[in-house]
Amino acid sequence: MPHPAMSSNHAAVITGGASGIGLAAAIRLARAGMKVCIADLGDDRLKDAATRLSSAAPGGADDIMAEAVDVSRADEVARLEAAVAKRFGGTDILMNNAGIQPGSAMFGPQDNWQRILAVNLWGVINGTQAFVPNMIRRGRPGLVINTGSKQGITTPPGDPAYNVSKAGVKAFTEALQHELRNTAGCKIAAHLLIPGFVFTGLTARGRTEKPAGAWTAEQTVDFMIERLDAGDFYILCPDNDVPRALDERRILWAAGDIVENRPPLSRWHKDFGDAFAAFVKGK
């Protein structure tokens, strides 16, 4: 494993770790000899994931924790940090990965908005505030990996609550990395994971087979570790449909709405369709 935090007998905590990208990351780190704690909801899901992790870990079940945690609750996340410190001595890698995407509408139920923001954004804030101060105090190299989304950057129409939550994760993680690099003696670095189309329970939407355009969670984790090794802050993942070059053009166009004083979300505006298509082609 490339980063010094990803060393045998060091500890990783992964929220949303019972499935998808979180579980794939947990298995990868467990196989490398790390002690791993996954936090999620659903007793059966946690039990099944812990069994898989125990099989993957050289130290077996002794090196694995599986905790039921609602990341939207700061008190539960604080208890998780204390439990990991007691069991493993502290945390070297924190992956704030828990997220939900039930769908939303601009004038939809407020409870739905509040739950999406509570899990997707406050879960990241709670995890960071509970874990990172002690990670800094330990004086060891460490990583904070926050799972964002391309929807938090280009904010396409159709799911505004999710977009707002992931845009918040981007802004928060940028501020976090600035804080960490300007903290004397700090050896912790923050990174923003920006997955492409990944076939997980969150994106399956009733499908049982992976669409051709999607990556697997394992491919995403492999790419994440490669880019952590390269020192990337923005870990912008491609997939089988969208190469990085296309992502870059979409992101640049979105930023250009402000600079060029275009209507917001002009990529989906009838008057700008041809201009966007030409921009993507580099014309």
Side-chain angles (χ1 to χ4, degrees), residues 78-102:
R79 284 197 294 269
L80 174 68
E81 194 278 335
V84 174
K86 182 177 180 179
R87 172 86 175 268
F88 294 149
T91 300
D92 300 285
I93 296 176
L94 171 66
M95 187 172 181
N96 289 309
N97 171 74
I100 59 173
Q101 191 177 13

Side-chain angles (χ1 to χ4, degrees), residues 22-119:
L23 180 57
I27 290 172
R28 176 71 180 267
L29 296 178
R31 283 176 178 160
M34 292 195 70
K35 301 177 188 299
V36 176
C37 173
I38 57 169
D40 214 319
L41 293 175
D43 291 344
D44 290 342
R45 297 170 67 247
L46 281 164
K47 183 178 178 181
D48 290 346
T51 298
R52 292 182 61 183
L53 287 168
S54 297
S55 297
D62 288 345
D63 288 345
I64 302 301
M65 291 176 65
E67 299 289 321
V69 176
D70 180 348
V71 296
S72 73
R73 295 181 57 89
D75 58 338
E76 293 192 19
V77 180
R79 284 197 294 269
L80 174 68
E81 194 278 335
V84 174
K86 182 177 180 179
R87 172 86 175 268
F88 294 149
T91 300
D92 300 285
I93 296 176
L94 171 66
M95 187 172 181
N96 289 309
N97 171 74
I100 59 173
Q101 191 177 13
S104 65
M106 183 60 66
F107 304 109
Q110 191 175 87
D111 287 350
N112 194 38
W113 275 77
Q114 289 178 341
R115 183 60 183 162
I116 292 167
L117 290 170
V119 173

Side-chain angles (χ1 to χ4, degrees), residues 187-247:
K187 298 180 181 179
I188 312 299
H191 301 265
L192 182 67
L193 175 63
I194 312 167
F197 180 20
V198 186
F199 186 59
T200 68
L202 191 70
T203 63
R205 310 211 191 289
R207 292 172 293 200
T208 56
E209 294 187 8
K210 183 184 78 67
W215 268 13
T216 64
E218 290 74 18
Q219 284 176 293
T220 302
V221 171
D222 287 345
F223 185 85
M224 178 186 78
I225 291 175
E226 173 191 319
R227 299 324 302 171
L228 287 170
D229 185 28
D232 292 2
F233 171 81
Y234 299 101
I235 303 176
L236 181 63
C237 303
D239 53 46
N240 293 333
D241 271 347
V242 181
R244 182 181 177 93
L246 179 53
D247 275 329

Side-chain angles (χ1 to χ4, degrees), residues 143-276:
L143 293 169
V144 180
I145 305 161
N146 294 336
T147 302
S149 172
K150 294 174 188 179
Q151 287 184 229
I153 301 172
T154 59
T155 61
D159 197 351
Y162 184 81
N163 292 355
V164 168
S165 71
K166 291 299 185 177
V169 170
K170 172 182 175 290
F172 177 82
T173 310
E174 290 167 338
L176 173 63
Q177 175 55 11
H178 177 80
E179 183 87 8
L180 294 174
R181 71 171 178 250
N182 287 286
T183 298
C186 178
K187 298 180 181 179
I188 312 299
H191 301 265
L192 182 67
L193 175 63
I194 312 167
F197 180 20
V198 186
F199 186 59
T200 68
L202 191 70
T203 63
R205 310 211 191 289
R207 292 172 293 200
T208 56
E209 294 187 8
K210 183 184 78 67
W215 268 13
T216 64
E218 290 74 18
Q219 284 176 293
T220 302
V221 171
D222 287 345
F223 185 85
M224 178 186 78
I225 291 175
E226 173 191 319
R227 299 324 302 171
L228 287 170
D229 185 28
D232 292 2
F233 171 81
Y234 299 101
I235 303 176
L236 181 63
C237 303
D239 53 46
N240 293 333
D241 271 347
V242 181
R244 182 181 177 93
L246 179 53
D247 275 329
E248 289 175 352
R249 300 303 277 179
R250 288 173 173 175
I251 291 168
L252 286 170
W253 181 272
D257 281 352
I258 301 171
V259 176
E260 302 294 333
N261 198 25
R262 296 189 294 249
L265 303 185
S266 68
R267 177 175 151 196
W268 294 273
H269 191 293
K270 62 183 179 60
D271 294 341
F272 291 88
D274 292 342
F276 173 70

